[in-house]
Amino acid sequence: MSDTVSALQGAAFEGIARVEEAGLRGMVTFRGDLTAAKVKTAVKAASGVAIPGQRGIAMSGEGGAAAATGAAAATGAAAATGAAWMSPDELLILVPHAEADAAVATLNDKLSGTHFMAENVSDARAVFTVTGGKAREVIGKLAPVDMGAFGQGEIRRTRFAQVPAALWMHGEEAFTIVCFRSVADYMFGLLRAAAQEGSEVGVY
Amino acid sequence: MSTRLANGGRRIDRTRPVEFRFNGKRLKGFEGDTLASALLANDQMMMGRSFKYHRPRGVVASGSEEPNALFNMGEGGKFEPNQRATTTELFDGLSVTSQNHWPSLEFDVGVLNNYAARFLPAGFYYKTFMFPRPAWKHVFEPFIRQSAGLGRAPDKETLDADTYEHFYFFADVVVVGGGVAGLQAAKTAALSGAKVLIMEQDPHWGGRAMVDGEPEEGFVQRLVGELEGMDNVTMRRRMMGAGVYDHGYLLGYERLRDHAPMLAGPRHRLWRIRAGQIITATGAIERPLSFAGNDIPGVMLAGAVRDYIAEYGVSPGDRVAVVTNNDDAYRTAIAVKKAGLEVPVIVDARAGGGGELAREARGMGIRVENGKAIAKVTGGKRVKSVKLCAQAGEGAVLEEVACDAVAMSGGWSPVVHLWSHCGGKLVWDEAEAMFRPDESRPPLNQNGAGFVRCAGAANGALDLGAGLADADAAGKGAAEAAGFKARGDTLPDLAQDDALPIEPVWMMPQGAGPKLRMKAWLDYQNDVKVSDVQLAAREGYESVEHTKRYTTLGMATDQGKLSNINGLAILSDTLGQAIPQTGTTTFRPPYTPISMASIAGEARGEIFQPVRRTPMHAWHEANGAHWEPVGHWRRPYCYLKGEETPHEAVSREIRATRASLGLLDASTLGKLIVKGPDAGKFLDMLYTNMMSTLKPGRCRYGLMCSENGFLSDDGVVVRLDEDSFLCHTTTGGAERIHGHMEEWLQTEWWDWQVHVVNATEQWAQVGVVGPNSRKVLEKLGGDVDISKDGLSFMGYTSGKLGEFDARIFRIAFAGELSYEVAVPASQGRALWDALWDAGEEFGVTPYGTEAMHVMRAEKGFIMIGDETDGTVIPQDLGLHWAISKKKEDYIGKRAQERTFMQSSDRWQLVGLETVDGSVIPDGAYAVAEGENANGQRNVQGRVTSTYYSPTLDRGIAMGLVHKGPERMGEVIDFPGTDGTIYKAKIVDAVFYDPEGEKQNV
């Protein structure tokens, strides 16, 4: 399918931080017993990483993307794989967009006979990146998260103003934000407003 | 006259003049001025008119407690009323107008109220306007609205030109107040390693110490420097601690651009802070004294007078009389004298006079009169003289002293607001005549431990040395409470002030008669006098809260910062009880008014609230969509072509769909995936009908009820495979039903093996509807079999439709041959475009929600939210066929067995056909004979859906009617609000294709 499009098709804004819609990412919601050995093996096979701990995210291949900017960063991140802890029985598995169905198939195959669920939710989401020295402040205006203490390897499910979202760092001063696709416009509007010129807080 | 002095003014930069406009007049000030200091420098003593009596008023204070000097500020999109001159920093181009007068500040007709004051006593609203009743509306209200009030309301058509934002912040210790106590507390706390935030509402650090003397030379500058050098400390100026709430939640109100509106960026930022511990070092506010004429422009707080001299190099008058009941005001006399101005007299109400400072003042040659009082201030628009009397007497004038300003001090009240917001209690300190925080009863956090402590003057430690020690202890205590190891700092060694104690003076002179009391103001902004509070007490108001509301004492925008203690002291005195027995009114956030826009933050314009868009949204927008909000979604109600009305468009869309081919964007339908060995069992409990018997590849319509039996949602359930189901919910119902499912799974059936995922937005879904729907899908090609037998009615298949990864459901909400095609959202727009192109030869027509509604009504299908309203059970709607008799239980089953639910008197769903073909108005009721106990016409039913059906070319409706199904053919009356009576025949609800032949081709 050649005509796949993300919600905002790479819209970007440059203010006190750079805000960019990062295109399509492959995402699989996994639910099951995260402590089971079989599940650990299957998740590793699908995501390339071991299951992260509470509020953790493990990514492989995303770090290189942080150094790059713009399209290069988006491409780099889009190629990364990993897994994020969503709840005691839920993970978000990240893969390249075209490989999400394959990841589901891998999980189905490896876990056949166990009770679990793997669902491709890639297209239910919109992905944004916020990068730059003031990225923490931009996010701190919208999400009730202690951005002074937020570090790499963490994922936080939270809200951005009035919509649910999750965020993690894909590099020094670089954040990935995931929200529902239908509110991509709203999220972009929020981030643009929060990154408006002259709005530096000056605490991070 | 008030004027700029030749020297002095720590805050102003005399090399940088600033021009501003006051009531159209061009005036000059300096950078660093406040609006108040700049007006005083221009001899503008009178700054406004009072609320009720329109008396001339000047500035009284120099800080946020100012009640009088409020202005309309800015113009157009930058206009804002009630801006305090004392906290408004001057900038080039600032434009203000004074408030509450007509036609002008100098000459105000409303001042007539002043002469009618005896007819406008406390509670006059309640007394006067009882009778005659019509007079309220036609005489009193218009009069009061015209004459009372403060600033002008902003124009409702003009949008605020500024932006605002929130900021979330977390700290172990937050210090509110950047005077010496706050700075010291912050430093001591920060030395422990705790993360500290300190905020100061003023643009400058140091507070009163910058005027009255630092603990040692350069103390504030040194402390600020040290704090700035610490990585764990965040410092903010122009940020006020607005309110303290449960769980250490604290609001900080930061004014970013009020002083520099020309710069880009948000105007205000509301900090939403989670604090481990809070220290309020908010200082103290000086109290006025209650003597006749204490509101005449030129009468000011003693502390404010020396602030203007020291900070701005502005003198409020050439001859400043000082009146006091404590030693502190002597500092003002000394400062005035040192500035080269005259102090004709210091009136000290204490018979014994003052201590060290009094000796110093005398030594400078200032005349001091002990045991004396001001009987009266003379003057209208500015002070002319004070008449002296004995404090112990009734006001017999002993002499008149000419002066053009009066500096008064009734003592200091700690600012206990933030301590009190969340439940901190106060004690009355007899020696200092003030309420101060009761350390033993702090506001409590989630663990039952105190989370706020006060430091320095805010804690009642008015002496500088004692205040510093108190702040150091507070900083240490807070750090420890936040889990850090703390120790005290090394403090400068300060001797205690050699001051004589304050003597409380609540009325001046002590025996002032009615005439004087009627001119002795307590609350300047709301025009409440000593006599008003006394009258309230005589009329039986004993509770301070009742008295507040009856007299309006402390109810103005300043919330009684100057007046509360004086007012309740007068009330106590009149009631003959001690002040602590009377108590204070409740302190509520915010400390001073904050902008409404800062509360809204970013939520304005396009991001006022989230609007959910489907992948095809842009196409709809470009093709005439007439939008309808459904939950947070936007869906096309219809697509307007050319000049047609929405009604015409809906009819066109329906005809085209029934005749050939229609497309509906159904992406908003909720899609929940339910998977697991117990999924079938789970769905049997959630739906009224049986789902576990559904075969893979088949679809079944299901109803969901609440525990109370009422219909909650409906939709088509698809069995994807042995283990998993796809449950369609209503648009906007997905999140709610997902929550409903999770709740039952997590709280009741936690041992069932079921997982649920909300996949609503993963799929873009298109309804392909009409006799040509199969043809257009076949035209797209691919490997799916959608032939009549390959995909039968209520069947499901998946595979490649053209190049799309499609799930295809053959379901028919419109009653035609139709399919719903779902593809991943990223392919949604492409699918829509492909169907559009392929459908061209069939005259493909996109249709909106209204056509969908009408077509389902033609088929007699119910709609959640139309036929249901939270009081309707499936049995009311004749949906017995969708309720399993075999199942032992489902959510709502027991409730539906209650006698009331079983009653044959419940209104039941029927079709309604108007006799003349007209359309019954929405929401119309069918009337029955007679009237009810309230004298209202009895009713026997109501319309739930009503439309013009283009297919039948007549009005059709569904409704709930008493014993409806038994009354087929009967005609009942639906009165419209236009006086027309719509006569409708009770018929079967299926108006179109009752045999279902159309969908089965």
Side-chain angles (χ1 to χ4, degrees), chain B residues 430-498:
Chain B
E430 200 70 51
E432 297 279 0
M434 66 188 180
F435 277 107
R436 60 176 170 77
D438 180 354
E439 251 175 83
S440 67
R441 293 182 295 164
L444 302 178
N445 67 8
Q446 59 279 11
N447 302 319
F451 71 99
V452 181
R453 61 196 75 215
C454 301
N459 204 21
L462 298 180
D463 176 75
L464 189 57
L468 264 189
D470 185 54
D472 185 50
K476 180 170 178 280
E480 279 169 353
F484 293 83
K485 250 186 128 130
R487 56 181 174 78
D489 193 16
T490 316
L491 304 177
D493 195 17
L494 293 172
Q496 190 165 352
D497 272 356
D498 175 23

Side-chain angles (χ1 to χ4, degrees), chain B residues 44-100:
Chain B
Q44 187 64 52
M45 290 290 279
M46 187 172 41
M47 298 195 190
R49 293 271 179 174
S50 72
F51 185 75
K52 198 160 127 185
Y53 303 124
H54 294 244
R55 285 171 65 92
R57 289 284 165 78
V59 71
V60 175
S62 57
S64 62
E65 69 273 31
E66 171 60 31
N68 286 343
L70 304 182
F71 293 90
N72 292 313
M73 194 167 144
E75 276 147 27
K78 297 250 181 197
F79 173 81
E80 192 154 18
N82 298 338
Q83 298 299 293
R84 276 185 308 280
T86 50
T87 56
T88 300
E89 294 174 61
L90 203 65
F91 57 85
D92 214 24
L94 173 76
S95 169
V96 294
T97 58
S98 49
Q99 301 183 158
N100 201 32

Side-chain angles (χ1 to χ4, degrees), chain A residues 1-6 24 27 29 31-33 89-90 97 101 108 114-125 136-149 159 161-163 180-190 192-194 196-204, chain B residues 163-171 195 234 236 254 256-257 264-266 269 271-272 602-603 606-615 632-633 673-677 723 735 738 742 746 752-763 800 803-805 807 823-827 829-831:
Chain A
M1 180 71 227
S2 53
D3 274 351
T4 55
V5 290
S6 62
L24 294 164
M27 295 187 206
T29 288
R31 296 194 66 180
D33 178 2
D89 73 346
E90 184 176 337
H97 186 255
D101 281 333
N108 284 342
T114 13
H115 170 50
F116 76 101
M117 182 164 192
E119 190 69 24
N120 181 355
V121 294
S122 316
D123 285 9
R125 307 282 161 78
R136 281 179 193 275
E137 294 185 353
V138 169
I139 295 169
K141 294 175 188 184
L142 300 168
V145 174
D146 185 356
M147 292 309 293
R159 65 175 173 83
Q162 301 171 57
V163 294
F180 284 109
R181 182 184 173 114
S182 65
V183 292
D185 270 290
Y186 174 77
M187 179 62 85
F188 189 53
L190 286 180
R192 231 174 12 200
Q196 70 164 300
E197 195 201 334
S199 72
E200 295 91 346
V201 183
V203 296
Y204 302 132
Chain B
T163 60
Y164 303 80
E165 67 185 26
H166 293 170
F167 188 63
Y168 296 91
F169 196 76
F170 299 72
K195 185 178 171 190
T234 301
R236 307 301 288 194
E254 189 178 24
L256 298 162
R257 294 289 179 266
R269 177 182 294 134
W271 287 54
R272 306 173 67 169
E602 82 298 325
E606 286 192 345
I607 50 173
F608 171 65
Q609 69 167 190
V611 170
R612 300 178 73 180
R613 293 169 162 85
T614 74
H632 276 167
W633 291 101
I673 314 287
V674 180
K675 188 187 173 205
D723 235 11
E735 287 73 22
H738 186 199
E742 283 291 348
Q746 290 178 26
W752 292 12
Q753 294 199 312
V754 182
H755 287 307
V756 184
V757 162
N758 182 353
T760 300
E761 295 202 24
Q762 169 68 16
W763 301 94
K800 284 279 181 195
E803 55 179 353
F804 299 97
D805 308 309
R807 288 174 163 180
V823 297
S826 62
Q827 304 173 28
R829 174 62 195 271
L831 171 72

Side-chain angles (χ1 to χ4, degrees), chain B residues 2-82:
Chain B
S2 66
T3 185
R4 183 81 68 183
L5 296 163
N7 298 303
R10 190 179 60 91
R11 294 187 177 194
I12 57 166
D13 182 347
R14 290 178 191 253
T15 65
R16 311 186 83 153
V18 168
E19 198 175 271
F20 68 105
R21 295 173 82 90
F22 169 69
N23 285 345
K25 257 187 309 190
R26 278 171 197 279
L27 299 175
K28 281 192 166 46
F30 293 119
E31 203 172 283
D33 260 324
T34 63
L35 176 57
S37 68
L39 286 170
L40 284 176
N42 285 279
D43 194 26
Q44 187 64 52
M45 290 290 279
M46 187 172 41
M47 298 195 190
R49 293 271 179 174
S50 72
F51 185 75
K52 198 160 127 185
Y53 303 124
H54 294 244
R55 285 171 65 92
R57 289 284 165 78
V59 71
V60 175
S62 57
S64 62
E65 69 273 31
E66 171 60 31
N68 286 343
L70 304 182
F71 293 90
N72 292 313
M73 194 167 144
E75 276 147 27
K78 297 250 181 197
F79 173 81
E80 192 154 18
N82 298 338

Side-chain angles (χ1 to χ4, degrees), chain B residues 638-682:
Chain B
C638 62
Y639 300 80
L640 295 176
K641 267 188 171 178
E643 298 292 297
E644 71 184 352
T645 64
H647 178 78
E648 290 162 353
V650 169
S651 296
R652 171 180 55 73
E653 290 167 10
I654 293 170
R655 287 195 192 99
T657 302
R658 292 229 185 274
S660 176
L661 181 62
L663 292 184
L664 174 75
D665 180 358
S667 307
T668 60
L669 280 183
K671 303 164 202 82
L672 305 176
I673 314 287
V674 180
K675 188 187 173 205
D678 295 321
K681 178 164 113 179
F682 176 59

